Amino acid sequence: VLQSSNSLKASYEDWLLTYGLSISPFHMRWQTALFNRQFYSWGRWKPRFLYLWFSIGMVFGIVAMFGSVILLGKTLMQTLTQMLTEAPKAQNDRMLQVVVSVLSSGLYLRVVPGVNLPVSQLTYFFSAILISGVIHEVGHGVAAIREQVRFNGFGIFIFIVYPGAFVDLFTTHLQLISPVQQLRIFCAGVWHNFVLGVASFMGLFLLPAILFPFYYTGVGALVTEVAEDSPANGPRGLFVGDLVTNLQDCPVYSVEDWNSCLGDISEKSQVGYCISAATLQQLSFPARVYRRLDGTVECCSNNSLTDICFSYSNNLDSHLYACLPARKVIEASKVCRTNEDCQKDFVPSFCVTPSLENQTRLIRVKHPPHIDMLYVGHPMHLQYTVSLSSFVPRQNFLSIDLPVVIETFCKYLISLSGALAVINAVPCFALDGQWILNSFLEATLSSLIVEKQNRELVGFLILLAGSALLAANVALGLWMVTAR
């Protein structure tokens, strides 16, 4: 609108030029020379060290270029295989799924914040993207100054909602230096992203030692948040500040133990509880027995919030059912699988097992000094709606959220910085991989393929294949997130 106005166009464009701004549909960027002196200071610091540093980065960038093609090819095959299966694995919205995530099984392309990325995680997401982009461009800028290429300026941009960074280098200087020098500059971005990812991983790994003076670990999982709609919410449930030490007979020393215990409980059959024959007869009361649609048996017909139907076997191996008060059965009881687990001191005892729907479990959660929480439901619902931390403050005034914030941010940096390193190394048009490939071909094929046009043709065909591979991964990744 402003550019179409005869009276405002000139002043508007002058204003943009003065402040280094550039605005177009879905895209806004800001460039400045304020940091040029700092960049030149970095680029001239210990030349021999920087030469070695960016030479290592050059080797890494070339390896990453070939590795990214293998990784994208593997991911594409995995995605196609998953598409052909009858039921893809359920998406876990609480897991870190971002625009591009590098995981051990391959590269998963994920888009749409708010769909598979919780809104509460957006601050981490965008901050990690911006920091990863800035570190990437700092690598290019410092390497360029080290190779005597003129540095014009640094800037940041926003494309739709995604932030990023860029450096402005003098193109003529880039074209005049040798292919090996060009490789040091073009590979510096992915190299710095890799280093940032490794540094974040080390910070995450050493976090217990770093925070040791203020927080201790290994004593349980500290509850930091309980969702309002969580089945663990209530007067007999979990509260912020509670320390969970056991799930059933599974000890919990950290958040990893909590997740592992819930996974085991979900995969294995429901455990039972030892109860003497006399206590069983005293607590049970007659009730109508009926089968649910899934084939399981219900014998508590009064919709009680305290009673649960239990099944057990007598000496004749016949299945019997009794409606019992859950807390009285479980408290001070030993867990069991069969009646043999309960025989002690010749006292007749039975192993009574909650008769629940197929995926439902009765879970005893210990969080001393409070009374045990008895949870009935799917174990994963408990995992999704309760947030925990492995770090327990040594003093009451210390925040219980700070270690979680640091942990989460480190994980985002590892994922996003690593993803940027891999994606930018792909031999694809408009990515660093395009310039890495061209310089690599010039450095290695100039004696084999004398004609420059032929080398450019080889590079063009490789870039075309790499671009098609990346586009296929992006398209299928989007489809897996949105359509499935």
Side-chain angles (χ1 to χ4, degrees):
V1 172
L2 292 172
Q3 286 181 335
S4 63
S5 172
N6 293 329
S7 58
L8 297 176
K9 180 180 179 179
S11 58
Y12 170 66
E13 291 179 345
D14 289 342
W15 180 80
L16 290 177
L17 185 62
T18 301
Y19 290 98
L21 291 171
S22 174
I23 300 174
S24 60
F26 308 110
H27 184 268
M28 180 173 67
R29 74 176 196 167
W30 169 70
Q31 181 176 338
T32 181
L34 290 174
F35 306 107
N36 285 21
R37 180 173 294 181
Q38 184 62 58
F39 270 90
Y40 275 102
S41 174
W42 289 335
R44 291 165 180 167
W45 177 75
K46 295 189 177 180
R48 293 178 66 85
F49 170 79
L50 291 181
Y51 172 79
L52 179 62
W53 176 259
F54 290 117
S55 295
I56 296 173
M58 176 184 67
V59 175
F60 172 81
I62 294 171
V63 173
M65 180 179 64
F66 291 105
S68 65
V69 174
I70 297 173
L71 189 58
L72 282 176
K74 180 182 176 182
T75 303
L76 184 62
M77 296 303 298
Q78 289 178 342
T79 306
L80 288 173
T81 302
Q82 188 176 351
M83 288 173 60
L84 296 175
T85 57
E86 293 182 359
K89 294 181 180 179
Q91 296 287 338
N92 182 357
D93 288 344
R94 293 293 297 264
M95 292 177 63
L96 182 61
Q97 293 181 337
V98 293
V99 176
V100 276
S101 297
V102 177
L103 303 175
S104 58
S105 57
L107 182 69
Y108 290 85
L109 293 138
R110 296 290 186 259
V111 185
V112 198
V115 174
N116 61 345
L117 180 69
V119 175
S120 60
Q121 303 284 301
L122 291 182
T123 302
Y124 298 110
F125 175 71
F126 289 120
S127 299
I129 285 183
L130 183 59
I131 291 175
S132 299
V134 168
I135 295 299
H136 179 100
E137 297 302 327
V138 166
H140 286 312
V142 174
I145 294 171
R146 166 65 183 75
E147 301 299 336
Q148 305 300 314
V149 175
R150 194 173 80 189
F151 183 85
N152 296 326
F154 168 83
I156 59 174
F157 67 86
I158 297 177
F159 176 67
I160 306 178
V161 295
Y162 298 103
F166 64 93
V167 289
D168 183 12
L169 305 178
F170 191 51
T171 308
T172 304
H173 284 183
L174 269 175
Q175 295 171 344
L176 292 175
I177 61 178
S178 69
V180 175
Q181 290 177 298
Q182 292 175 357
L183 277 172
R184 292 196 193 99
I185 296 172
F186 296 142
C187 293
V190 298
W191 168 238
H192 274 215
N193 277 138
F194 172 75
V195 171
L196 176 61
V198 171
S200 301
F201 177 80
M202 292 302 297
L204 184 63
F205 180 75
L206 297 174
L207 193 58
I210 295 171
L211 296 180
F212 180 77
F214 311 101
Y215 298 85
Y216 58 91
T217 58
V219 294
L222 185 69
V223 178
T224 59
E225 183 183 1
V226 181
E228 291 185 4
D229 58 346
S230 172
N233 193 10
R236 293 287 182 94
L238 298 175
F239 295 90
V240 173
D242 287 353
L243 191 66
V244 177
T245 58
N246 281 83
L247 292 174
Q248 301 287 43
D249 57 340
C250 183
V252 175
Y253 301 107
S254 64
V255 176
E256 289 74 19
D257 292 336
W258 163 275
N259 294 329
S260 177
C261 291
L262 284 178
D264 289 342
I265 291 171
S266 179
E267 293 174 3
K268 297 178 181 178
S269 59
Q270 173 71 57
V271 298
Y273 302 89
C274 293
I275 182 173
S276 66
T279 305
L280 176 62
Q281 185 176 8
Q282 179 184 356
L283 294 179
S284 64
F285 54 89
R288 183 172 63 89
V289 175
Y290 64 92
R291 290 191 177 275
R292 303 186 184 96
L293 294 177
D294 63 354
T296 57
V297 173
E298 175 61 77
C299 61
C300 292
S301 55
N302 61 349
N303 296 321
S304 172
L305 296 177
T306 59
D307 301 332
I308 290 179
C309 182
F310 288 84
S311 67
Y312 63 99
S313 299
N314 58 15
N315 295 330
L316 302 176
D317 291 332
S318 59
H319 283 285
L320 301 175
Y321 298 91
C323 186
L324 303 170
R327 191 168 294 278
K328 290 184 179 180
V329 171
I330 293 176
E331 285 181 346
S333 295
K334 175 178 131 178
V335 296
C336 57
R337 293 286 178 181
T338 63
N339 288 341
E340 285 73 18
D341 298 333
C342 301
Q343 302 308 319
K344 185 180 180 182
D345 299 331
F346 304 102
V347 177
S349 299
F350 296 100
C351 182
V352 296
T353 305
S355 179
L356 302 170
E357 295 175 277
N358 285 337
Q359 300 300 320
T360 305
R361 297 287 185 273
L362 171 60
I363 305 174
R364 181 182 184 181
V365 182
K366 290 188 176 182
H367 53 127
H370 306 288
I371 188 171
D372 294 350
M373 180 185 79
L374 301 184
Y375 167 80
V376 179
H378 197 290
M380 292 301 103
H381 293 167
L382 191 60
Q383 188 175 23
Y384 296 158
T385 58
V386 178
S387 300
L388 303 106
S389 171
S390 301
F391 295 84
V392 181
R394 294 184 182 275
Q395 303 294 335
N396 292 332
F397 65 85
L398 293 172
S399 169
I400 63 175
D401 295 320
L402 179 61
V404 177
V405 171
I406 298 174
E407 271 188 315
T408 306
F409 188 62
C410 284
K411 290 176 182 178
Y412 269 93
L413 278 179
I414 295 168
S415 180
L416 282 168
S417 191
L420 283 176
V422 174
I423 289 295
N424 273 286
V426 176
C428 171
F429 293 108
L431 295 178
D432 286 350
Q434 175 182 357
W435 315 113
I436 294 173
L437 176 67
N438 291 338
S439 299
F440 178 74
L441 294 179
E442 286 295 320
T444 57
L445 296 183
S446 57
S447 59
L448 296 176
I449 304 176
V450 180
E451 293 292 333
K452 185 175 178 64
Q453 289 183 341
N454 293 337
R455 294 197 299 271
E456 290 177 348
L457 178 60
V458 172
F460 175 80
L461 293 176
I462 296 174
L463 289 173
L464 197 62
S467 300
L469 182 61
L470 180 60
N473 273 275
V474 171
L476 291 180
L478 278 169
W479 184 85
M480 291 295 288
V481 170
T482 56
R484 302 298 289 269

